[in-house]
Amino acid sequence: MTADPVSTLLLFGATGDLAHRMLLPSLYGLYADGLLPTGLKIVGTARSPLDDAAYRSSALAALTEHVQAEYLDATKAAAFAGMLSYVPLDATKAAGFAALRERIDPAAGLAIFLSTAPSLFKATIDGLEGAGLTGPRVRLALEKPLGSDLASSREINDAVAIAFPEARTYRIDHYLGKETVQNLLALRFANSLFEPLWNSAHIDHVQITVAETVGLEGRGDYYDGAGALRDMVQNHMLQLVALVAMEPPADFDATSVRDEKVKVLRSLRRIGANDVGNCVVTGQYAAGASDGQPVPGYIDELGHPSATETFVALKAHVDNWRWAGVPFYLRTGKRMPQRSTEIFIQFKCVPHSNFASRGATTQANKLLISIQPEENIRLQVMAKTPGLDRAGIRLRELPLDLGMVNAFADHRRRIAYERLLLDLIEGDPTLFVRRDEVEAQWDWIDGVRAAWNDAGLAPRPYAAGNWGPSAAIALTERDGVHWHD
Ligand code: BG6
């Protein structure tokens, strides 16, 4: 990649939750390590009528709250705050954009980050264009939700495309900024061990779990209109499927990697109304416990009745040569027993066990890629239990652990947005989602939703603190498969 750093980063939604929890702490982390371009200006904008000084002190308060104490250096934080300025703006009123233009020279390179409601995207882009804040050295990053179905995502993409060509449009899926997610590519394509086995001849099935212990977190207005399928599967989980299933890219550049991912997304087998009973389970949490504390059910938290799913489990297939007949079991939910994001690859058993005649059973190998809360890669292999074997050979499954945290103890673990913001500032779109990927994702998700509407699927209750409704267990057990918990 040839870095083409911008001289200004413009943050829309600069007083919002994402800015406080993730964006400002990430920018501070990059600054503290000398990774931001010298002289970078960070301009925040939102509706609140703040001046520069008030915004800087709110940013410092956000750093104190959200940056780990060991990384927060008062002198560096003060210097970082000095890079910030603030312009109050109602994005629905074109006139306000002139004030932004006075502070920003788009010809010197500008990266814009829209962390606002999608309903404001079009007005914001019009305002930017009207004020001359677009052009060949201006890039635009967009946070989800990018639509609620294929049609609405196309509307957003069309509105963006008027002012920003695809090469300068950076759609964020923060899972792609996670280190272990990127490590999937290294594991697969920098080792000769796995790739020859990475196909239907040797892999029995794949499981991907994204479990969260949190509930609504005060996001009812958004979440109730989205649900688990659109909130988590459409984006993060399908990106994980694409990275697990893709062919080796010709290069690790933005075009090659995304070309391979989109082929997988387009190969996802459509789930029709007749498949729903076998391939989809939805659930909604009822009152229960989380981290040992009693918690209310979804409807009580929300304050009104709702048929939105807070859990979904799916059996998906990637219809191509490599993956023919290999189920991909996906599940995600709120108020699960533990926070855990993991990819579990179940290999097939050895074709013939010579040990069977000596009384020993052989288990199939398994590869567990834990993404969070701990980063770890574990391969389960068979080993002989020491002994004289007078009563037969005994074999045992043992883990080969790649303890990422210990192996890279001297490497700081960065939050996903640090990587994504730096790539945006420097102009590398590889870890951002291309329009054709997003649309292939929505196309498949729309099919699932249409099928479950046709089949009249309703979420089944599960008590908070459980792994979803029991039907989710039956979904895999029917195939003789157990979820990896
Ligand atoms: C977001 C979803 O995209 O991802 C949230 O909107 C979810 O509902 C979050 O909690 C999970 O992200 P992470 O990085 O904590 O796994």
Side-chain angles (χ1 to χ4, degrees):
M1 191 224 20
T2 328
D4 176 23
V6 294
S7 66
T8 306
L9 174 67
L10 171 58
L11 292 181
F12 281 84
T15 54
D17 185 55
L18 187 74
H20 281 164
R21 275 190 309 112
M22 295 287 170
L23 305 182
L24 291 167
S26 300
L27 289 165
Y28 165 75
L30 294 169
Y31 169 76
D33 291 342
L35 294 166
L36 291 181
T38 316
L40 179 78
K41 288 192 292 182
I42 302 172
V43 181
T45 179
R47 277 187 177 199
S48 315
L50 305 177
D51 58 13
D52 288 346
Y55 186 63
R56 286 177 186 144
S57 53
S58 75
L60 283 172
L63 297 188
T64 310
E65 192 176 344
H66 299 292
V67 175
Q68 275 175 284
E70 62 182 300
Y71 294 125
L72 193 60
D73 174 291
T75 314
K76 286 183 180 172
F80 170 72
M83 298 165 68
L84 304 174
S85 62
Y86 183 84
V87 177
L89 173 76
D90 176 349
T92 60
K93 304 214 166 69
F97 285 79
L100 281 180
R101 180 67 180 86
E102 277 167 27
R103 296 218 188 176
I104 297 170
D105 174 13
L110 169 64
I112 302 167
F113 193 115
L114 293 193
S115 151
T116 50
S119 55
L120 292 176
F121 285 176
K122 182 158 179 353
T124 307
I125 289 163
D126 290 347
L128 289 166
E129 235 195 338
L133 284 165
T134 53
R137 293 214 58 214
V138 185
R139 1 192 132 107
L140 180 76
L142 302 144
E143 256 299 335
K144 65 171 276 217
L146 297 180
S148 54
D149 56 15
L150 179 58
S152 54
S153 105
R154 280 194 173 139
E155 262 172 45
I156 293 174
N157 285 327
D158 287 344
V160 169
I162 290 171
F164 294 90
E166 185 60 32
R168 289 192 276 111
T169 302
Y170 289 59
R171 291 179 198 80
I172 292 183
D173 184 318
H174 78 277
Y175 267 54
L176 296 179
K178 292 182 192 269
E179 196 65 56
T180 332
V181 172
Q182 295 159 41
N183 200 24
L184 259 174
L185 296 186
L187 185 78
R188 289 193 53 198
F189 303 128
N191 294 292
S192 57
L193 203 60
F194 297 114
E195 202 45 30
L197 306 180
W198 209 260
N199 55 51
S200 61
H202 301 285
I203 291 182
D204 181 78
H205 70 268
V206 175
Q207 298 181 20
I208 302 182
T209 296
V210 181
E212 298 185 279
T213 53
V214 293
L216 259 185
E217 295 183 293
R219 296 162 75 220
D221 284 351
Y222 154 72
Y223 190 87
D224 197 51
L229 184 74
R230 292 189 280 196
D231 184 47
M232 296 297 283
V233 182
Q234 184 273 334
N235 37 46
H236 312 320
M237 296 192 79
L238 289 187
Q239 283 292 321
L240 294 179
V241 170
L243 292 169
V244 169
M246 71 194 250
E247 297 300 316
D251 199 345
F252 281 105
D253 58 63
T255 303
S256 309
V257 171
R258 299 187 295 179
D259 282 354
E260 294 308 333
K261 283 195 294 168
V262 79
K263 275 157 58 181
V264 173
L265 297 166
R266 288 187 183 143
S267 305
L268 285 166
R269 185 186 301 168
R270 298 194 79 76
I271 292 180
N274 291 338
D275 310 313
V276 165
N278 274 331
C279 298
V280 188
V281 172
T282 57
Q284 187 186 74
Y285 64 82
S290 176
D291 294 328
Q293 298 299 317
V295 291
Y298 178 76
I299 286 173
D300 284 341
E301 236 180 292
L302 188 66
H304 57 79
S306 163
T308 296
E309 82 287 358
T310 60
F311 171 93
V312 61
L314 298 152
K315 176 176 163 183
H317 282 94
V318 178
D319 277 340
N320 62 18
W321 279 34
R322 186 189 278 261
W323 296 110
V326 179
F328 281 66
Y329 299 101
L330 315 178
R331 67 175 168 168
T332 182
K334 303 272 185 204
R335 291 285 190 226
M336 304 269 98
Q338 66 196 48
R339 177 168 188 247
S340 122
T341 299
E342 62 177 40
I343 298 167
F344 177 79
I345 314 277
Q346 171 74 62
F347 289 91
K348 291 189 169 162
C349 281
V350 290
H352 169 71
S353 174
N354 294 323
F355 297 98
S357 61
R358 305 290 303 277
T361 47
T362 341
Q363 312 266 3
N365 297 135
K366 303 166 183 79
L367 178 68
L368 179 66
I369 302 163
S370 305
I371 293 169
Q372 53 195 26
E374 292 297 323
E375 293 176 29
N376 197 36
I377 298 176
R378 163 175 291 193
L379 182 64
Q380 296 279 14
V381 295
M382 295 309 293
K384 179 182 169 300
T385 309
L388 299 177
D389 306 331
R390 314 301 285 167
I393 296 180
R394 279 181 300 140
L395 299 178
R396 214 172 91 191
E397 215 178 18
L398 288 183
L400 270 179
D401 269 327
L402 224 70
M404 305 289 290
V405 177
N406 290 340
F408 296 113
D410 53 340
H411 286 65
R412 162 132 173 243
R413 316 311 285 164
R414 294 185 181 276
I415 50 179
Y417 281 97
E418 289 186 66
R419 172 64 191 256
L420 297 177
L421 282 164
L422 191 59
D423 284 357
L424 168 69
I425 289 166
E426 293 189 334
D428 181 356
T430 311
L431 297 179
F432 295 83
V433 186
R434 211 167 54 187
R435 178 172 182 159
D436 51 2
E437 290 179 80
V438 158
E439 295 192 352
Q441 291 171 183
W442 275 123
D443 192 31
W444 189 74
I445 292 292
D446 283 0
V448 175
R449 286 179 52 79
W452 85 32
N453 286 338
D454 287 353
L457 187 77
R460 300 161 195 249
Y462 61 96
N466 284 282
W467 289 106
S470 54
I473 296 167
L475 178 87
T476 58
E477 300 276 338
R478 275 196 293 275
D479 300 342
V481 167
H482 310 296
W483 287 108
H484 178 262
D485 290 341

